[in-house]
Amino acid sequence: TSNMKLILIFSALFGASLCLETFVGHQVLRIKTRNEEEVKQLQLLESLEHLELDFWINPSSAALPVDVRIPANNVQAVKAFLESHGIQYSILIEDLQAVLDKEKEDMAYSQQKERSSSSFNYGTYHSLDSIYAELDHLASEYSNIVSKIQIGESYEKRPLYVLKFSTGGNNRPAIWMDAGIHSREWVTQASAIWMAKKIASDYGKDPSITSLLNKMDIFLLTVTNPDGYVFTHTTNRMWRKTRSRNPGSVCVGVDPNRNWDAGFGGPGASSNPCSDSYRGPHANSEVEVKSVVNFIKNHGNIRAFLTLHSYSQLLMYPYGYKCTEPADYAELDALGRAAASSIQSLYGTTFTVGSICTTIYQASGGSIDWSYDYGIKYSFAFELRDTGRYGFLLPASQIIPTAEETWLGLKKIMEHVRDNPY
Amino acid sequence: QDIDDVGHKYHLELVLEDILDKDSTVNCTAEVLYHLGNNNIAPDVQVTLEGELKNTDEADNIFYHRIKSLEKELVAENIPDSYGNVLPEMEPIHLLAWVASGYVIWQNSTENTKFQLAQIKHVKQVKRSDEYLEFDYMILLHEMVSQEIIPWQMTVLWHPQHGVQVTRDSRQPKHASE
């Protein structure tokens, strides 16, 4: 019987099966079964473990093809079996190792290409190293207006890099933007690097950005919390805080947006190191926060402070640490609404406008409360897409649309800052 | 509306939007009563639909038979993954978790919480001899006010005609390694 023949053929090969470390000579066949009988034959084949057959699509019904990877030394025997039973097949992959080698080559090549030219994919999430490499690339490609400054180091000694966009002058009034203070909010770092490219490439083409940069500078911190960002890639995608050690606790990290000197210690921040909203032992205890504070104080001429978070689609102004209106409430609210309107004009995405306290919750030690009380009138915090369907895990396909619409809102605010010096 | 000695009642007008068909919407109204003082009782919820929900029998049956005919129990992790991806064949598993987590969220909500399903860390199908499908989920809930990510176990039963049931659920401790 054919089954006897089958068992004879393959038990002969039993001793010859090698354990291969590579996939040299492995073939992937696509088998087109025409009836249940043929499916049964393949299921019998599947049961012969010594053949080390790796079914990419298992034999289950005659309606679906069966894809199987066969180690090199068993290829001829399997083909002989199929042919003797009149089972049709085609060769999907002649030599799997060759395909793998080519793939590795392609990946290395495109990584190399990314390093040497402007083919950074803005529509995908990147590692910290990849983002940092792109900062260098932008500073070099647009060296007439872009330069990279290091404003400090993170707890784990990673550099904190700010891109400066400037057409000259001496300590011109400037706009500060930051992203990724909370590391799990990946769409913010991704949007920030897109915006860096946008600002650089639009200068000289877009009248609004051109006139803005002719009068003011822009400082952009694309990854405010690099230690946290790396941790979300290596260990815990949901990590929010810094990675500083808390003496006397097993828990790591401080919420960098509860660590600013604005109502520090008040409601809306935790005193428990294990909490995701732990404020830290004292204001500015986190080097990431201190570095920004120092930069802004030393600069002395920052006119707007804009910070990116996700998610919830909100556009907020101070205060968070108290529920009373800021002195400039009317102007900030009107400007916020105008910006939200610009955002909506592109893809219909709606942002809710209001103060932090009335829009989400009371939260002390927040960055825009500090910047506002420090004298930077135009202080806004954005919460980008979405409203919870994907939350922090926003699909990469939404990075560019998010960056594009948010950019319209930011531009609205920056234009107002440009036109209303104070 | 403050109701003395009872709690706070909220009257809501909502629009339900079909995730799979943005143009399909249904208006509804709801009344939510948060009980005074006792945070261990779920809020009372009354909902009135002003219209009909779409019939999903066909898709339900396809999913039901696909899972029923699997040789090995379904196992999956990280839905969506870090990059927001959900494999098409996992989308119904994702949606089922969404519905089931809605129940867990309702049972654990107060006026000071705002929960969202952040991710399915792990899901395992449990074979049953009856007609129901059973899944053991480990999910992450994101609580907005505290910003905490809370692991939660839930056992979910589903059947195309009998709907969703959460038969067991429990909050899990956060990992000390974080």
Side-chain angles (χ1 to χ4, degrees), chain A residues 129-419:
Chain A
D129 289 343
S130 178
I131 293 178
Y132 276 14
E134 183 61 8
L135 294 179
D136 283 333
H137 174 250
L138 288 172
S140 120
E141 191 180 341
Y142 300 95
S143 54
N144 54 328
I145 52 165
V146 183
S147 55
K148 188 181 84 170
I149 307 172
Q150 180 169 351
I151 64 165
E153 271 182 350
S154 69
Y155 182 83
E156 290 173 346
K157 305 277 179 257
R158 294 184 174 87
L160 299 169
Y161 289 132
V162 166
L163 286 184
K164 175 182 181 183
F165 300 84
S166 178
T167 58
N170 181 23
N171 199 239
R172 281 180 177 169
I175 293 171
W176 168 269
M177 284 206 304
D178 66 72
I181 190 169
H182 290 136
S183 39
R184 61 190 180 201
E185 299 168 7
W186 279 17
V187 73
T188 67
Q189 299 94 333
S191 295
I193 190 78
W194 180 92
M195 290 176 193
K197 170 76 175 178
K198 181 78 175 149
I199 297 170
S201 56
D202 265 12
Y203 178 74
K205 302 198 184 97
D206 174 74
S208 176
I209 279 298
T210 306
S211 76
L212 179 81
L213 283 176
N214 285 342
K215 294 197 182 118
M216 304 180 71
D217 294 343
I218 297 175
F219 292 97
L220 175 57
L221 177 55
T222 54
V223 187
T224 309
N225 178 6
D227 296 349
Y229 191 60
V230 170
F231 198 71
T232 59
H233 275 88
T234 58
T235 313
N236 180 354
R237 176 64 178 81
M238 295 294 172
W239 190 259
R240 165 184 169 90
K241 302 188 286 182
T242 61
R243 292 293 302 164
S244 57
R245 296 286 169 283
N246 293 310
S249 174
V250 300
C251 295
V252 175
V254 166
D255 183 341
N257 206 30
R258 300 288 184 278
N259 189 245
W260 300 71
D261 192 6
F264 183 86
S270 173
S271 55
N272 179 354
C274 297
S275 166
D276 254 343
S277 55
Y278 174 49
R279 59 181 174 238
H282 57 85
N284 299 322
S285 64
E286 300 315 282
V287 64
E288 294 83 354
V289 171
K290 191 84 177 94
S291 303
V292 175
V293 170
N294 285 346
F295 176 82
I296 294 195
K297 284 185 169 175
N298 292 337
H299 185 278
N301 205 9
I302 305 289
R303 305 271 121 207
F305 185 98
L306 310 170
T307 183
L308 301 184
H309 290 259
S310 77
Y311 56 94
S312 287
Q313 291 169 208
L314 308 171
L315 214 172
M316 299 175 291
Y317 45 81
Y319 287 105
Y321 73 85
K322 57 184 177 180
C323 290
T324 50
E325 283 173 5
D328 301 289
Y329 163 77
E331 185 185 359
L332 294 179
D333 190 73
L335 180 53
R337 284 175 202 289
S341 190
S342 303
I343 292 175
Q344 189 179 21
S345 70
L346 194 57
Y347 298 112
T349 308
T350 54
F351 272 58
T352 304
V353 180
S355 72
I356 295 174
C357 192
T358 59
T359 310
I360 27 175
Y361 41 57
Q362 198 174 4
S364 56
S367 64
I368 67 166
D369 285 355
W370 170 80
S371 63
Y372 183 77
D373 280 349
Y374 184 68
I376 301 173
K377 175 162 63 153
Y378 298 108
S379 292
F380 289 92
F382 286 67
E383 292 273 0
L384 307 189
R385 289 197 196 180
D386 60 13
T387 54
R389 169 118 196 258
Y390 288 96
F392 300 121
L393 309 179
L394 195 70
S397 56
Q398 292 197 45
I399 295 174
I400 295 181
T402 300
E404 288 175 329
E405 70 193 8
T406 308
W407 177 239
L408 293 183
L410 287 165
K411 249 193 358 176
K412 191 57 126 184
I413 293 174
M414 297 199 291
E415 286 159 4
H416 185 93
V417 179
R418 173 197 68 199
D419 300 337

Side-chain angles (χ1 to χ4, degrees), chain A residues 43-113:
Chain A
Q43 287 171 337
L44 180 55
L45 204 63
E46 196 181 8
S47 68
L48 298 172
E49 289 184 4
H50 65 274
L51 288 175
E52 292 178 297
L53 299 178
D54 172 21
F55 283 83
W56 290 5
I57 302 179
N58 294 79
S60 59
S61 100
L64 294 169
V66 173
D67 289 349
V68 57
R69 174 179 64 80
I70 311 168
N73 54 312
N74 296 329
V75 170
Q76 287 319 311
V78 173
K79 282 180 175 171
F81 170 77
L82 294 173
E83 283 160 24
S84 74
H85 284 82
I87 298 177
Q88 291 189 332
Y89 68 90
S90 57
I91 301 175
L92 273 188
I93 300 177
E94 285 251 14
D95 182 344
L96 186 57
Q97 190 59 42
V99 170
L100 294 173
D101 289 342
K102 173 109 195 351
E103 184 184 54
K104 217 158 144 193
E105 229 179 82
D106 287 348
M107 274 171 61
Y109 175 72
S110 88
Q111 254 177 38
Q112 173 73 288
K113 207 162 170 288

